[in-house]
PDB file of all heavy atoms in Angstrom:
ATOM      1  N   CYS A  91       3.826   9.483  -5.948  1.00 97.00           N
ATOM      2  CA  CYS A  91       3.424  10.874  -5.761  1.00 97.00           C
ATOM      3  C   CYS A  91       3.220  11.481  -7.151  1.00 97.00           C
ATOM      4  O   CYS A  91       4.173  11.560  -7.940  1.00 97.00           O
ATOM      5  CB  CYS A  91       4.511  11.622  -5.000  1.00 97.00           C
ATOM      6  SG  CYS A  91       4.206  13.393  -4.961  1.00 97.00           S
ATOM      7  N   VAL A  92       1.982  11.855  -7.450  1.00 97.00           N
ATOM      8  CA  VAL A  92       1.689  12.482  -8.734  1.00 97.00           C
ATOM      9  C   VAL A  92       1.322  13.934  -8.458  1.00 97.00           C
ATOM     10  O   VAL A  92       0.414  14.222  -7.674  1.00 97.00           O
ATOM     11  CB  VAL A  92       0.533  11.767  -9.467  1.00 97.00           C
ATOM     12  CG1 VAL A  92       0.485  12.219 -10.929  1.00 97.00           C
ATOM     13  CG2 VAL A  92       0.666  10.258  -9.386  1.00 97.00           C
ATOM     14  N   ILE A  93       2.075  14.837  -9.101  1.00 96.00           N
ATOM     15  CA  ILE A  93       1.855  16.270  -8.868  1.00 96.00           C
ATOM     16  C   ILE A  93       1.256  16.889 -10.132  1.00 96.00           C
ATOM     17  O   ILE A  93       1.744  16.644 -11.244  1.00 96.00           O
ATOM     18  CB  ILE A  93       3.170  16.960  -8.460  1.00 96.00           C
ATOM     19  CG1 ILE A  93       3.666  16.364  -7.130  1.00 96.00           C
ATOM     20  CG2 ILE A  93       2.966  18.472  -8.318  1.00 96.00           C
ATOM     21  CD1 ILE A  93       4.973  16.920  -6.612  1.00 96.00           C
ATOM     22  N   GLN A  94       0.210  17.665  -9.933  1.00 95.00           N
ATOM     23  CA  GLN A  94      -0.517  18.300 -11.044  1.00 95.00           C
ATOM     24  C   GLN A  94       0.443  19.151 -11.882  1.00 95.00           C
ATOM     25  O   GLN A  94       1.187  19.966 -11.340  1.00 95.00           O
ATOM     26  CB  GLN A  94      -1.604  19.191 -10.454  1.00 95.00           C
ATOM     27  CG  GLN A  94      -2.438  19.951 -11.435  1.00 95.00           C
ATOM     28  CD  GLN A  94      -3.527  19.076 -12.062  1.00 95.00           C
ATOM     29  OE1 GLN A  94      -3.305  18.471 -13.114  1.00 95.00           O
ATOM     30  NE2 GLN A  94      -4.671  19.024 -11.438  1.00 95.00           N
ATOM     31  N   GLY A  95       0.434  18.943 -13.191  1.00 84.00           N
ATOM     32  CA  GLY A  95       1.262  19.777 -14.079  1.00 84.00           C
ATOM     33  C   GLY A  95       0.370  20.583 -14.990  1.00 84.00           C
ATOM     34  O   GLY A  95      -0.805  20.798 -14.689  1.00 84.00           O
ATOM     35  N   GLU A  96       0.920  21.024 -16.119  1.00 78.00           N
ATOM     36  CA  GLU A  96       0.147  21.880 -17.031  1.00 78.00           C
ATOM     37  C   GLU A  96      -0.652  21.072 -18.047  1.00 78.00           C
ATOM     38  O   GLU A  96      -1.494  21.617 -18.741  1.00 78.00           O
ATOM     39  CB  GLU A  96       1.095  22.839 -17.750  1.00 78.00           C
ATOM     40  CG  GLU A  96       1.631  23.904 -16.799  1.00 78.00           C
ATOM     41  CD  GLU A  96       2.633  24.829 -17.466  1.00 78.00           C
ATOM     42  OE1 GLU A  96       2.963  24.598 -18.643  1.00 78.00           O
ATOM     43  OE2 GLU A  96       3.072  25.768 -16.789  1.00 78.00           O
ATOM     44  N   THR A  97      -0.358  19.770 -18.137  1.00 81.00           N
ATOM     45  CA  THR A  97      -1.058  18.947 -19.126  1.00 81.00           C
ATOM     46  C   THR A  97      -1.994  17.967 -18.425  1.00 81.00           C
ATOM     47  O   THR A  97      -2.058  17.934 -17.200  1.00 81.00           O
ATOM     48  CB  THR A  97      -0.051  18.144 -19.973  1.00 81.00           C
ATOM     49  OG1 THR A  97       0.551  17.161 -19.118  1.00 81.00           O
ATOM     50  CG2 THR A  97       1.022  19.045 -20.554  1.00 81.00           C
ATOM     51  N   ARG A  98      -2.672  17.131 -19.226  1.00 87.00           N
ATOM     52  CA  ARG A  98      -3.635  16.187 -18.648  1.00 87.00           C
ATOM     53  C   ARG A  98      -2.975  14.893 -18.152  1.00 87.00           C
ATOM     54  O   ARG A  98      -3.653  13.960 -17.752  1.00 87.00           O
ATOM     55  CB  ARG A  98      -4.726  15.872 -19.677  1.00 87.00           C
ATOM     56  CG  ARG A  98      -5.601  17.095 -19.964  1.00 87.00           C
ATOM     57  CD  ARG A  98      -6.828  16.701 -20.760  1.00 87.00           C
ATOM     58  NE  ARG A  98      -7.631  15.707 -20.068  1.00 87.00           N
ATOM     59  CZ  ARG A  98      -8.343  14.756 -20.690  1.00 87.00           C
ATOM     60  NH1 ARG A  98      -8.338  14.671 -21.980  1.00 87.00           N
ATOM     61  NH2 ARG A  98      -9.061  13.896 -19.997  1.00 87.00           N
ATOM     62  N   HIS A  99      -1.629  14.868 -18.184  1.00 89.00           N
ATOM     63  CA  HIS A  99      -0.894  13.681 -17.739  1.00 89.00           C
ATOM     64  C   HIS A  99      -1.359  13.230 -16.354  1.00 89.00           C
ATOM     65  O   HIS A  99      -1.559  12.048 -16.096  1.00 89.00           O
ATOM     66  CB  HIS A  99       0.597  14.025 -17.675  1.00 89.00           C
ATOM     67  CG  HIS A  99       1.464  12.946 -18.234  1.00 89.00           C
ATOM     68  ND1 HIS A  99       1.963  12.981 -19.505  1.00 89.00           N
ATOM     69  CD2 HIS A  99       1.907  11.806 -17.685  1.00 89.00           C
ATOM     70  CE1 HIS A  99       2.683  11.897 -19.719  1.00 89.00           C
ATOM     71  NE2 HIS A  99       2.658  11.167 -18.628  1.00 89.00           N
ATOM     72  N   PHE A 100      -1.512  14.213 -15.465  1.00 92.00           N
ATOM     73  CA  PHE A 100      -1.928  13.969 -14.078  1.00 92.00           C
ATOM     74  C   PHE A 100      -3.182  13.086 -14.030  1.00 92.00           C
ATOM     75  O   PHE A 100      -3.225  12.068 -13.344  1.00 92.00           O
ATOM     76  CB  PHE A 100      -2.194  15.323 -13.410  1.00 92.00           C
ATOM     77  CG  PHE A 100      -2.665  15.260 -11.986  1.00 92.00           C
ATOM     78  CD1 PHE A 100      -1.756  15.197 -10.936  1.00 92.00           C
ATOM     79  CD2 PHE A 100      -4.020  15.311 -11.690  1.00 92.00           C
ATOM     80  CE1 PHE A 100      -2.185  15.170  -9.618  1.00 92.00           C
ATOM     81  CE2 PHE A 100      -4.454  15.280 -10.375  1.00 92.00           C
ATOM     82  CZ  PHE A 100      -3.541  15.218  -9.335  1.00 92.00           C
ATOM     83  N   ASP A 101      -4.212  13.494 -14.817  1.00 93.00           N
ATOM     84  CA  ASP A 101      -5.487  12.764 -14.779  1.00 93.00           C
ATOM     85  C   ASP A 101      -5.324  11.327 -15.275  1.00 93.00           C
ATOM     86  O   ASP A 101      -5.856  10.392 -14.677  1.00 93.00           O
ATOM     87  CB  ASP A 101      -6.542  13.480 -15.637  1.00 93.00           C
ATOM     88  CG  ASP A 101      -6.741  14.910 -15.161  1.00 93.00           C
ATOM     89  OD1 ASP A 101      -6.891  15.101 -13.942  1.00 93.00           O
ATOM     90  OD2 ASP A 101      -6.724  15.828 -16.002  1.00 93.00           O
ATOM     91  N   PHE A 102      -4.566  11.188 -16.373  1.00 95.00           N
ATOM     92  CA  PHE A 102      -4.389   9.840 -16.918  1.00 95.00           C
ATOM     93  C   PHE A 102      -3.667   8.939 -15.921  1.00 95.00           C
ATOM     94  O   PHE A 102      -4.050   7.795 -15.700  1.00 95.00           O
ATOM     95  CB  PHE A 102      -3.603   9.883 -18.242  1.00 95.00           C
ATOM     96  CG  PHE A 102      -4.399  10.475 -19.377  1.00 95.00           C
ATOM     97  CD1 PHE A 102      -3.936  11.583 -20.071  1.00 95.00           C
ATOM     98  CD2 PHE A 102      -5.617   9.935 -19.750  1.00 95.00           C
ATOM     99  CE1 PHE A 102      -4.672  12.131 -21.116  1.00 95.00           C
ATOM    100  CE2 PHE A 102      -6.369  10.478 -20.795  1.00 95.00           C
ATOM    101  CZ  PHE A 102      -5.888  11.584 -21.472  1.00 95.00           C
ATOM    102  N   ILE A 103      -2.588   9.457 -15.314  1.00 95.00           N
ATOM    103  CA  ILE A 103      -1.817   8.623 -14.379  1.00 95.00           C
ATOM    104  C   ILE A 103      -2.667   8.288 -13.147  1.00 95.00           C
ATOM    105  O   ILE A 103      -2.743   7.124 -12.736  1.00 95.00           O
ATOM    106  CB  ILE A 103      -0.507   9.319 -13.944  1.00 95.00           C
ATOM    107  CG1 ILE A 103       0.418   9.515 -15.148  1.00 95.00           C
ATOM    108  CG2 ILE A 103       0.218   8.508 -12.882  1.00 95.00           C
ATOM    109  CD1 ILE A 103       1.667  10.317 -14.847  1.00 95.00           C
ATOM    110  N   CYS A 104      -3.320   9.307 -12.575  1.00 96.00           N
ATOM    111  CA  CYS A 104      -4.112   9.063 -11.350  1.00 96.00           C
ATOM    112  C   CYS A 104      -5.229   8.063 -11.606  1.00 96.00           C
ATOM    113  O   CYS A 104      -5.432   7.139 -10.812  1.00 96.00           O
ATOM    114  CB  CYS A 104      -4.701  10.359 -10.810  1.00 96.00           C
ATOM    115  SG  CYS A 104      -3.453  11.476 -10.191  1.00 96.00           S
ATOM    116  N   ASP A 105      -5.963   8.242 -12.717  1.00 96.00           N
ATOM    117  CA  ASP A 105      -7.070   7.320 -13.026  1.00 96.00           C
ATOM    118  C   ASP A 105      -6.544   5.901 -13.183  1.00 96.00           C
ATOM    119  O   ASP A 105      -7.093   4.958 -12.618  1.00 96.00           O
ATOM    120  CB  ASP A 105      -7.764   7.722 -14.344  1.00 96.00           C
ATOM    121  CG  ASP A 105      -8.686   8.907 -14.137  1.00 96.00           C
ATOM    122  OD1 ASP A 105      -8.859   9.327 -12.980  1.00 96.00           O
ATOM    123  OD2 ASP A 105      -9.224   9.415 -15.142  1.00 96.00           O
ATOM    124  N   ALA A 106      -5.467   5.761 -13.966  1.00 97.00           N
ATOM    125  CA  ALA A 106      -4.955   4.418 -14.247  1.00 97.00           C
ATOM    126  C   ALA A 106      -4.475   3.752 -12.964  1.00 97.00           C
ATOM    127  O   ALA A 106      -4.833   2.604 -12.679  1.00 97.00           O
ATOM    128  CB  ALA A 106      -3.813   4.499 -15.259  1.00 97.00           C
ATOM    129  N   VAL A 107      -3.688   4.468 -12.173  1.00 97.00           N
ATOM    130  CA  VAL A 107      -3.084   3.820 -10.995  1.00 97.00           C
ATOM    131  C   VAL A 107      -4.155   3.485  -9.962  1.00 97.00           C
ATOM    132  O   VAL A 107      -4.134   2.399  -9.366  1.00 97.00           O
ATOM    133  CB  VAL A 107      -1.902   4.657 -10.425  1.00 97.00           C
ATOM    134  CG1 VAL A 107      -2.340   5.879  -9.701  1.00 97.00           C
ATOM    135  CG2 VAL A 107      -1.042   3.811  -9.510  1.00 97.00           C
ATOM    136  N   ALA A 108      -5.136   4.364  -9.784  1.00 98.00           N
ATOM    137  CA  ALA A 108      -6.194   4.080  -8.796  1.00 98.00           C
ATOM    138  C   ALA A 108      -7.021   2.869  -9.235  1.00 98.00           C
ATOM    139  O   ALA A 108      -7.246   1.940  -8.452  1.00 98.00           O
ATOM    140  CB  ALA A 108      -7.088   5.307  -8.620  1.00 98.00           C
ATOM    141  N   ASN A 109      -7.437   2.866 -10.499  1.00 98.00           N
ATOM    142  CA  ASN A 109      -8.268   1.748 -10.985  1.00 98.00           C
ATOM    143  C   ASN A 109      -7.502   0.430 -10.977  1.00 98.00           C
ATOM    144  O   ASN A 109      -8.035  -0.603 -10.592  1.00 98.00           O
ATOM    145  CB  ASN A 109      -8.764   2.039 -12.416  1.00 98.00           C
ATOM    146  CG  ASN A 109      -9.799   3.146 -12.408  1.00 98.00           C
ATOM    147  OD1 ASN A 109     -10.521   3.319 -11.434  1.00 98.00           O
ATOM    148  ND2 ASN A 109      -9.862   3.911 -13.485  1.00 98.00           N
ATOM    149  N   ASP A 110      -6.231   0.490 -11.424  1.00 98.00           N
ATOM    150  CA  ASP A 110      -5.473  -0.755 -11.547  1.00 98.00           C
ATOM    151  C   ASP A 110      -5.102  -1.341 -10.176  1.00 98.00           C
ATOM    152  O   ASP A 110      -5.103  -2.559  -9.996  1.00 98.00           O
ATOM    153  CB  ASP A 110      -4.208  -0.527 -12.383  1.00 98.00           C
ATOM    154  CG  ASP A 110      -4.544  -0.319 -13.858  1.00 98.00           C
ATOM    155  OD1 ASP A 110      -5.728  -0.496 -14.224  1.00 98.00           O
ATOM    156  OD2 ASP A 110      -3.636   0.020 -14.629  1.00 98.00           O
TER     157      ASP A 110
END
Side-chain angles (χ1 to χ4, degrees):
C91 171
V92 194
I93 297 179
Q94 179 80 268
E96 289 177 356
T97 69
R98 293 191 59 212
H99 223 98
F100 179 87
D101 302 312
F102 289 122
I103 296 174
C104 292
D105 282 354
V107 74
N109 289 331
D110 288 352

